[in-house]
Amino acid sequence: MDKILSVIVPAYNSEDYIERCLSPFVRADAETRKKLEIIIVNDGSTDGTEKMVESYVEKYPYMFKLCNKENGGHGSAINHGVKYVAGKYFHVVDSDDWMNLTEIKGFVRFLEEHDVDVVANSFLCVADGSFKVIDKRPCISDDRYARKEILWEKVAAETELIRIHAITFKREFYLGHNIYLDSLRYYDDFEYTLFPMAYARKVAFYEPYVTSYRLGRSGQSVSIRSMQKNRDNHMKVIESLLKFYDGCSDAPESIRTYLAMGISKIVENQFQIYISLGNKKGIKQEMITFDKMLLDRYPDVYNAVSKKSIWMLRRTGYNILPVGYLVYKLVKRNQ
């Protein structure tokens, strides 16, 4: 039987949580399991990740595949995994996240019955430890478009950023455009989700909550401490995205609007880094220089920023940065 969905699982030292990621697939019904391919890319783990994955490969060799590689970061793991994809579509699930068992069968059936470049799904945000749902992220606000094949150009400008937890690509489409992610340690998910959308023609929105995204785990790249530590990588991804945006001048206006909005989200994260380091020498000038560059060279990205705190900084000549830093410290202290 042909594989319908390949799931790439980048894994690095994931022995404490990868089982929650893998177990829903083996609990799916037998017919659905035959249509699944789970590719775990072991990115040079030094713990028991490899051994744990091997147990799944031994029990379910028709479904699980282990690919070992030297440590190279999240983006390199995705690049590596894509080489082995056999399914009609593929989706990336990080090793600390998972697909919701109750939705796997329906999602695979939907993919089997539709032929589009990109499928967006809704996802849940789940608290680490308690696993309580703390937020729901629907993939679409207009039910008229649910489960229909739609021209991307028609809806791009009004679509919220499709996050890595919510995006599935048709294999032929992704490979056909030679998408390649920078081998950075963090934040390459913005490249992964935005690069292909410049070329997409047809999309579909599947409104069930297919995936769960874990929040609050120590060491996550989205934590402010991690962003501070890796802010050079963060800026390199922004530079990569802006360079890509420069090359999309011939894209339809609605798609450029979507790309600018998507890049603005990582720009907002960059401001969060600046605010959290607001007491450091030179940070204010670095922030001003960065924002002026956006205004001068990328006004669409500059204006797509939606956070009120950033616009307050801009309107006050960035002079309220110390206030922002104090608020950050108070919030951190009370967490």
Side-chain angles (χ1 to χ4, degrees):
M1 179 178 290
D2 292 338
K3 299 294 185 181
I4 301 301
L5 175 62
S6 297
V7 178
I8 299 173
V9 182
Y12 175 72
N13 288 352
S14 307
E15 65 175 352
D16 291 339
Y17 40 81
I18 195 171
E19 190 153 13
R20 180 175 283 271
C21 175
L22 302 182
S23 62
F25 300 116
V26 304
R27 293 160 60 198
D29 65 273
E31 192 67 18
T32 299
R33 291 201 303 267
K34 293 176 184 177
K35 300 175 183 179
L36 288 169
E37 175 188 50
I38 316 302
I39 303 168
I40 302 94
V41 181
N42 177 30
D43 191 36
S45 296
T46 57
D47 65 353
T49 298
E50 181 179 353
K51 185 176 181 180
M52 185 170 290
V53 173
E54 284 177 344
S55 68
Y56 279 85
V57 176
E58 290 173 4
K59 292 179 182 177
Y60 309 94
Y62 63 91
M63 183 165 56
F64 288 92
K65 181 182 295 183
L66 171 62
C67 300
N68 291 311
K69 62 181 287 295
E70 292 183 358
N71 182 252
H74 188 261
S76 72
I78 294 176
N79 291 335
H80 192 79
V82 167
K83 298 176 185 177
Y84 298 95
V85 166
K88 177 183 177 184
Y89 291 93
F90 73 92
H91 185 109
V92 172
V93 177
D94 287 336
S95 58
D96 56 349
D97 302 328
W98 59 91
M99 279 194 169
N100 298 316
L101 174 61
T102 55
E103 305 299 343
I104 293 175
K105 180 178 181 179
F107 188 51
V108 171
R109 184 189 301 121
F110 181 82
L111 296 176
E112 189 171 18
E113 295 173 351
H114 291 79
D115 189 19
V116 294
D117 298 324
V118 182
V119 177
N121 62 267
S122 302
F123 68 95
L124 303 173
C125 295
V126 179
D128 182 47
S130 69
F131 301 112
K132 291 182 179 179
V133 175
I134 55 178
D135 196 11
K136 294 183 176 182
R137 303 286 181 88
C139 64
I140 194 168
S141 58
D142 191 335
D143 290 339
R144 291 178 302 163
Y145 298 140
R147 307 198 193 195
K148 295 179 181 177
E149 298 184 6
I150 308 165
L151 289 176
W152 175 230
E153 183 179 352
K154 178 181 177 182
V155 298
E158 60 191 86
T159 302
E160 293 292 323
L161 177 63
I162 307 171
R163 302 281 182 172
I164 190 171
H165 331 286
I167 199 162
T168 300
F169 295 114
K170 187 178 180 182
R171 176 174 56 88
E172 291 180 359
F173 160 73
Y174 190 92
L175 294 177
H177 289 285
N178 298 312
I179 307 296
Y180 189 82
L181 309 180
D182 289 335
S183 295
L184 298 168
R185 295 287 173 178
Y186 301 103
Y187 316 115
D188 49 78
D189 53 315
F190 280 92
E191 294 180 334
Y192 174 72
T193 56
L194 284 172
F195 284 175
M197 301 313 294
Y199 312 114
R201 182 174 177 274
K202 289 173 67 178
V203 300
F205 296 91
Y206 185 73
E207 79 281 9
Y209 292 91
V210 175
T211 52
S212 287
Y213 169 43
R214 186 194 305 241
L215 285 173
R217 182 177 65 79
S218 176
Q220 277 185 306
S221 62
V222 294
S223 70
I224 187 61
R225 182 172 296 180
S226 182
M227 288 196 291
Q228 289 172 343
K229 180 181 177 182
N230 299 289
R231 68 191 188 104
D232 288 344
N233 272 349
H234 197 268
M235 184 58 76
K236 286 178 182 178
V237 173
I238 293 176
E239 292 169 353
S240 171
L241 291 168
L242 292 174
K243 181 179 179 181
F244 179 78
Y245 185 74
D246 278 335
C248 295
S249 57
D250 293 333
E253 186 62 29
S254 62
I255 292 178
R256 280 182 58 82
T257 297
Y258 176 83
L259 295 175
M261 177 276 300
I263 297 170
S264 77
K265 299 307 176 186
I266 192 171
V267 166
E268 291 174 356
N269 291 346
Q270 184 66 26
F271 270 92
Q272 187 179 357
I273 296 171
Y274 288 141
I275 292 170
S276 71
L277 297 173
N279 65 330
K280 303 293 184 182
K281 184 178 180 180
I283 284 294
K284 180 180 177 181
Q285 187 56 51
E286 182 181 328
M287 178 178 63
I288 292 172
T289 301
F290 171 69
D291 207 30
K292 187 177 186 303
M293 179 275 294
L294 289 177
L295 178 60
D296 292 344
R297 296 178 54 191
Y298 302 97
D300 292 342
V301 175
Y302 179 94
N303 288 312
V305 168
S306 60
K307 283 197 172 182
K308 293 181 180 179
S309 58
I310 296 173
W311 283 100
M312 288 177 65
L313 277 167
R314 289 169 170 173
R315 288 167 183 157
T316 61
Y318 311 93
N319 290 320
I320 62 168
L321 178 60
V323 177
Y325 172 72
L326 289 175
V327 171
Y328 159 74
K329 293 293 287 185
L330 286 171
V331 171
K332 184 179 178 183
R333 188 178 302 162
N334 293 327
Q335 285 179 340

